[in-house]
Amino acid sequence: MVLVPRESVVTRDSKPTVFLVREGKAQARVIVLGTERQGQVIVKEGLSGGEALVLRPKDDLKDGATVKVKGQG
């Protein structure tokens, strides 16, 4: 079971979406949500677990945008 923080999930094109961090770039990934529990949501499809996510994506964050990981460089 994969759980992600609720604030990591945004809606893009009417679909629940998270942004992965890959090589300093944001990568949009559409997911299928399950139930929510204690501020976390179950991801039924779209993630395998262990991916680095943008915690609170801004409304204007786009696929391919450069992102900086807090605490690194």
Side-chain angles (χ1 to χ4, degrees), residues 39-51:
Q40 304 272 312
V41 287
I42 295 173
V43 177
K44 293 175 156 184
E45 293 177 31
L47 296 175
S48 58
E51 293 95 340

Side-chain angles (χ1 to χ4, degrees), residues 5-54:
R6 180 70 188 112
E7 61 263 27
S8 292
V9 182
V10 295
T11 302
R12 296 289 195 271
D13 298 322
S14 302
K15 297 176 183 145
T17 304
V18 293
F19 283 91
L20 283 65
V21 178
R22 294 252 171 108
E23 298 175 5
K25 304 277 185 190
Q27 180 181 35
R29 173 84 53 93
V30 174
I31 57 173
V32 176
L33 296 176
T35 56
E36 183 173 343
R37 57 170 82 154
Q38 299 175 341
Q40 304 272 312
V41 287
I42 295 173
V43 177
K44 293 175 156 184
E45 293 177 31
L47 296 175
S48 58
E51 293 95 340
L53 301 178
V54 175

Side-chain angles (χ1 to χ4, degrees), residues 17-18 56 58 63:
T17 304
V18 293
R56 293 180 191 94
K58 297 190 186 233
D63 191 43

